[in-house]
Amino acid sequence: LAGSRWAWDRGHRNGMLDDLDYPALVSLAGVVRGLVCSGSVSGVHDIAEGGLGLALTEMAVRGEVGCDVLAGSDCVAVFNETPGRVLVSVGQGALEHVRDAADRAGVPLTMLGVAGDSRITIGGLIDISLAEASAAHIGRLPNAMVAGTTNS
């Protein structure tokens, strides 16, 4: 988790993220662009700041639907910010098309779980109601504004 937002927030500020694989990023961007343009995906989110856990939560809150994800059995899997990864929401009818597009481009693909229900569950680490996650996410800026700031 060195170099990640999770590490930074805990005072670990000397870490480095993995190096970028530019050809792989170009391939990934091409696949994502094609899937979005074809209407094959219902949502896409990068897994940069905050890792998989934050990306899943933001997509769930925005889409107003929970998720049950099997991946993420430890903090590294949930909060890792390795560059060049995206989270894609795909309906059952488009799943094979997405797999084929990724295979043709040599882009690795992992099925993480399913969307639905009113909870966000990630492995054995996170289990939170969609309502609770939404309130925390949507209320962040207003709560910060109410708290105000001080210059000491």
Side-chain angles (χ1 to χ4, degrees):
L1 294 174
S4 70
R5 171 71 184 266
W6 182 89
W8 181 268
D9 287 348
R10 283 155 183 76
H12 306 288
R13 306 222 166 124
N14 295 322
M16 298 293 294
L17 293 174
D18 295 337
D19 289 334
L20 293 176
D21 179 345
Y22 290 103
L25 289 173
V26 169
S27 294
L28 174 64
V31 169
V32 170
R33 181 179 54 248
L35 294 173
V36 169
C37 289
S38 70
S40 299
V41 297
S42 55
V44 178
H45 197 303
D46 71 309
I47 303 180
E49 188 175 328
L52 176 64
L54 184 59
L56 281 164
T57 302
E58 288 179 347
M59 283 183 77
V61 167
R62 177 72 174 111
E64 299 179 346
V65 64
C67 59
D68 185 12
V69 174
L70 302 175
S73 58
D74 61 29
C75 287
V76 173
V78 175
F79 298 109
N80 181 337
E81 296 176 353
T82 299
R85 299 180 308 148
V86 296
L87 178 64
V88 180
S89 177
V90 180
Q92 281 296 110
L95 190 53
E96 205 55 43
H97 172 70
V98 171
R99 281 189 178 127
D100 290 344
D103 284 345
R104 281 192 308 275
V107 172
L109 178 86
T110 303
M111 174 82 166
L112 297 176
V114 296
D117 202 14
S118 60
R119 300 197 68 74
I120 300 168
T121 60
I122 305 172
L125 293 177
I126 296 172
D127 185 351
I128 186 171
S129 75
L130 184 58
E132 189 177 353
S134 295
H137 182 71
I138 293 168
R140 286 178 67 191
L141 183 58
N143 290 343
M145 297 301 285
V146 169
T149 60
T150 60
N151 293 326
S152 308

